[in-house]
Amino acid sequence: MAMWAMMAAPLYMSNDLRTLRQWQKDILMNQEVIAVDQDPLGKQGLRVFQDPKKHYEYWTRELADGTYAVVMYRRDTSGLPRSYTATFAQLKIDAKSALVRDLFRHMDLGVYTDQITATLPPSGSCKMFKVTPIKEEF
């Protein structure tokens, strides 16, 4: 769902929607993720960082309101949960600090400075955030 939204693509389901379990409906009907997908700026997200040895990558998508959608995606399926840190520079976000919101948990995480850290379980999992840069005033 996160990568679909980052690509600004239409979502096609090839299953019987009447038989979905509630957790599946919750994923497919996540209004915050749908808002990213349907953002009026229409820009597709870009993979801004990839580490093939550790099997993880970061994606950023600029949104019409000046915020960014960010996905931290763990590709490998082995091992234990791991902590990953993406700097704002890696994410191509020009800010020293930003408000960060977890779009899957519908939770504001607070103000982050220079980076975002998240723990990802194995199995091709990801975290999706909305990042709102805080403009510095002089």
Side-chain angles (χ1 to χ4, degrees):
M1 187 74 173
M3 295 310 295
W4 157 77
M6 294 300 279
M7 295 300 114
L11 178 63
Y12 295 101
M13 299 301 300
S14 61
N15 58 327
D16 185 345
L17 298 176
R18 297 170 297 173
T19 62
L20 290 177
R21 295 181 180 146
Q22 187 58 49
W23 67 268
Q24 294 166 316
K25 289 179 186 178
D26 292 344
I27 291 171
L28 292 173
M29 296 169 65
N30 183 325
Q31 292 301 306
E32 293 183 89
V33 175
I34 291 170
V36 169
D37 177 68
Q38 296 178 350
D39 183 74
L41 188 59
K43 280 190 174 181
Q44 182 174 335
L46 300 171
R47 183 175 57 201
V48 293
F49 182 81
Q50 181 181 35
D51 183 338
K53 286 187 176 184
K54 295 183 181 172
H55 305 290
Y56 65 92
E57 54 196 47
Y58 306 142
W59 289 73
T60 300
R61 180 176 174 194
E62 183 181 358
L63 303 176
D65 63 0
T67 64
Y68 297 86
V70 170
V71 170
M72 299 173 77
Y73 177 49
R74 182 173 176 186
R75 299 175 57 94
D76 69 323
T77 58
S78 62
L80 299 170
R82 291 189 189 143
S83 181
Y84 295 91
T85 298
T87 66
F88 290 169
Q90 287 173 316
L91 296 172
K92 310 295 186 219
I93 296 173
D94 185 20
K96 292 190 184 274
S97 59
L99 297 169
V100 177
R101 179 168 178 82
D102 186 319
L103 298 186
F104 292 153
R105 295 180 1 200
H106 309 287
M107 181 186 302
D108 290 327
L109 302 178
V111 175
Y112 283 57
T113 303
D114 294 322
Q115 63 188 25
I116 299 171
T117 299
T119 300
L120 300 173
S123 75
S125 62
C126 70
K127 299 270 184 161
M128 187 173 193
F129 306 100
K130 186 170 185 179
V131 178
T132 304
I134 298 173
K135 301 204 187 298
E136 293 184 35
E137 295 186 28
F138 297 97

